[in-house]
Amino acid sequence: MRTNLPVTTVEYPISDETIIVSKTDLKGKLTYFTAAFVAASGFTEAELIGQPHNLVRHPDMPRAVFKLLWDTLQSKQEIFAYVVNLAKDGSHYWVFAHVTPTFDERGNIVGYHSNRRKPDPVQIERIKPIYKTLCAEEARHANAK
């Protein structure tokens, strides 16, 4: 995992035409991704395949958002979310993610599929203070235990 990688204020630009795609197994390990995911993450294909998708989790992302995401997916529903990811070099990139479960012919979940695109900057400015508040609350409750 990425315990000692830097976090910078540099933002990796996502173009309007870019669609970042990744697929994972049931445990969230990467099984497929596009070149756009490789480029945005800064990791090589070899560094990504088989790794947990949370390899790109930014520390400013509230855990509650991922709890909601996983609960929604496990109930066989799709979810949309604004996500900030952390690249290997410490830069970050915001995305609007559409995440869905992948089903087999019997309707069982066999993995997950995510399409991400450039988000509306106005919405990102709206979500940043909400995520900051959520992270502060999560930290406060973690320190109270």
Side-chain angles (χ1 to χ4, degrees):
M1 279 301 264
R2 55 176 325 125
T3 55
N4 56 358
L5 291 177
V7 177
T8 71
T9 58
V10 176
E11 185 166 0
Y12 179 85
I14 304 291
S15 74
D16 291 339
E17 297 79 31
T18 299
I19 298 178
I20 299 171
V21 178
S22 61
K23 295 180 182 182
T24 69
D25 65 14
L26 289 172
K27 298 199 182 281
K29 291 187 178 181
L30 289 160
T31 60
Y32 171 84
F33 39 80
T34 57
F37 183 81
V38 174
S41 75
F43 289 95
T44 66
E45 290 182 24
E47 290 173 315
L48 290 169
I49 197 73
Q51 293 302 307
H53 201 291
N54 67 8
L55 182 69
V56 295
R57 181 181 287 184
H58 195 285
D60 291 344
M61 268 306 296
R63 292 184 180 278
V65 173
F66 290 108
K67 169 82 167 101
L68 175 62
L69 182 139
W70 281 109
D71 288 351
T72 302
L73 292 173
Q74 290 171 353
S75 69
K76 298 185 175 185
Q77 303 294 312
E78 68 183 347
I79 189 167
F80 293 86
Y82 292 101
V83 177
V84 60
N85 286 324
L86 183 64
K88 182 179 178 179
D89 66 0
S91 64
H92 67 278
Y93 55 102
W94 280 95
V95 295
F96 183 60
H98 176 216
V99 189
T100 61
T102 303
F103 302 98
D104 67 11
E105 63 280 349
R106 293 189 185 104
N108 299 310
I109 299 174
V110 295
Y112 304 98
H113 179 252
S114 179
N115 290 327
R116 293 164 302 260
R117 67 189 122 166
K118 180 180 178 178
D120 177 347
V122 171
Q123 301 310 319
I124 295 305
E125 292 309 311
R126 287 183 178 159
I127 203 73
K128 282 180 182 180
I130 296 167
Y131 282 8
K132 186 175 183 177
T133 299
L134 284 170
C135 285
E137 282 299 305
E138 290 172 352
R140 187 172 70 84
H141 286 286
N143 291 335
K145 291 183 178 181

